[in-house]
Amino acid sequence: MLVDLTEYHRPTEMARAASLLARERPVTVPLGGATALCGGAAVGVEAVVDLGGLELDFIRAESDGLSIGAMTTLQDLVENRATRSFRSGVIAASARSSATRGLRNAATVGGTLAAGGLARADLPVVLLALDARVRVLGLDGQERWLAMAECTDGLPARGIIVEVSVPGPSRSGPGAGGAEPGAPGLPPPPAGAAFMRVGRTVSDPSLVHVAAAVDSVPDGGCAVRLACGGVGWAPVRAVAVEAELRGSDLDDGTVRRALERDLALTPPPSDFRASSTYREAVARVLARRAIRQACALAAGAHPSLGDAG
Ligand SMILES: Cc1cc2nc3c(=O)[nH]c(=O)nc-3n(C[C@H](O)[C@H](O)[C@H](O)COP(=O)(O)OP(=O)(O)OC[C@H]3O[C@@H](n4cnc5c(N)ncnc54)[C@H](O)[C@@H]3O)c2cc1C
């Protein structure tokens, strides 16, 4: 509850929003869908800047990827035709499992990323595997693009998340810039993505979630980007596994051997929900399945997204 709230602002210009947020007093924060701010204990927040007047609720299919406005709700991601078809539908699938329908109708992409681990959402692990970038307006009025890896547990500095840009296979593929896979007139290279999760129940936060994105590389073989995380475990890229698999044809034996490496630089945390050993074991199983599914999709299989409810 916003028990200390004394001011509410709904600016229609970004510069005005940034200047309101830059004030030292009253203590002012951005307002997205308000699910965390109103549902949690937002003690000490004296003013909010509602971002709803800034026209940030959009999903645009661009020639080189997908652009998602910060005020887009998680339910919009579930229902939108572009997100349901983009990169095997993993953005729509992870938005859907991030929260219950009631929360998804209000919770925004920007609020979910800014809340970091508090959101307990599945979306960030998928955005990390897809190599997304986040456009942030700093309170000094300067815009910056941050790699998703810098935002996996919230924003590194105060600012307004404006947009998330997710590259398509042509730009995100490790071959981008090499054989010009996305050059005009050429079809996009084979690419697939998959998202897997394990939770205590379907609607419970994920104990472990894994996302894999597979692209072809110009010098032959495939490359995979693999991200894993879970509740209390901010998403990380499994860079050693990725390096081991680069250029291989991702057959099951090679994937199994690569997954014997450490998935993350530090082991996953242990808490009352699951031990570190359990999370790591489950992450390996999910990673293998996700890579296999992403490969199948890259080879032409079609994902089953179910309904958009
Ligand atoms: C009872 C309850 C249950 C919940 N269950 C779940 C759940 O199952 N799954 C889940 O994922 N989450 C859950 N949450 C947490 C919350 O719903 C999510 O974190 C949600 O995604 C937040 O999005 P929002 O748009 O509502 O953010 P808000 O509540 O508006 O804001 C959250 C934080 O982000 C900041 N912020 C908002 N937008 C921006 C922006 N564009 N740029 C910079 N900062 C911004 C705000 O200042 C605030 O600090 C739950 C919360 C409650 C109260």
Side-chain angles (χ1 to χ4, degrees):
M1 285 279 286
L2 291 161
V3 287
D4 298 320
L5 195 71
T6 54
E7 288 181 19
Y8 168 86
H9 301 270
R10 190 178 165 94
T12 52
E13 288 172 9
M14 291 298 296
R16 172 75 179 142
S19 69
L20 284 165
L21 287 165
R23 301 175 300 173
E24 294 228 339
R25 297 309 297 245
V27 175
T28 310
V29 301
L31 185 71
T35 61
L37 275 177
C38 288
V43 177
V45 172
E46 296 164 326
V48 290
V49 176
D50 185 343
L51 307 178
L54 299 171
E55 300 186 357
L56 297 178
D57 51 339
F58 58 83
I59 299 172
R60 294 190 202 115
E62 316 269 8
S63 59
D64 57 353
L66 203 62
S67 177
I68 302 168
M71 288 300 284
T72 304
T73 66
L74 297 184
Q75 186 61 19
D76 287 338
L77 294 183
V78 174
E79 292 176 6
N80 185 271
R81 185 179 288 267
T83 48
R84 285 168 67 76
S85 58
F86 182 80
R87 299 238 46 172
S88 319
V90 285
I91 292 178
S94 62
R96 184 178 185 174
S97 61
S98 283
T100 54
R101 173 84 189 231
L103 282 171
R104 292 198 306 263
N105 281 335
T108 63
V109 171
T112 302
L113 294 186
L118 290 177
R120 306 179 300 168
D122 291 322
L123 182 64
V125 78
V126 163
L127 294 178
L128 183 63
L130 294 182
D131 220 9
R133 292 184 309 145
V134 181
R135 183 154 66 99
V136 177
L137 179 68
L139 301 190
D140 55 0
Q142 299 294 311
E143 273 196 359
R144 302 177 182 85
W145 281 98
L146 301 178
M148 190 54 213
E150 298 172 76
C151 314
T152 51
D153 202 9
L155 280 179
R158 289 178 68 214
I160 302 172
I161 297 175
V162 178
E163 170 190 359
V164 177
S165 171
V166 193
S170 57
R171 184 150 62 93
S172 68
E180 303 293 349
L186 289 179
F195 159 67
M196 307 258 163
R197 73 189 293 275
V198 165
R200 288 178 297 189
T201 68
V202 175
S203 57
D204 222 33
S206 296
L207 295 174
V208 179
H209 47 204
V210 169
V214 168
D215 294 277
S216 56
V217 285
D219 43 343
C222 296
V224 61
R225 280 190 309 279
L226 186 65
C228 40
V231 59
W233 179 20
V236 284
R237 285 267 295 272
V239 285
V241 176
E242 293 177 5
E244 176 98 11
L245 290 175
R246 189 181 159 81
S248 82
D249 58 4
L250 298 182
D251 63 279
D252 202 44
T254 309
V255 170
R256 273 177 193 270
R257 278 193 298 280
L259 286 172
E260 281 161 18
R261 285 178 167 276
D262 288 339
L263 288 177
L265 289 177
T266 52
S270 281
D271 59 24
F272 66 93
R273 299 180 190 92
S275 69
S276 178
T277 315
Y278 173 82
R279 286 179 195 245
E280 188 139 10
V282 171
R284 280 182 216 289
V285 173
L286 295 187
R288 190 170 142 245
R289 290 181 189 167
I291 292 171
R292 197 163 52 197
Q293 183 171 320
C295 287
L297 292 166
H302 292 285
S304 168
L305 287 173
D307 63 52

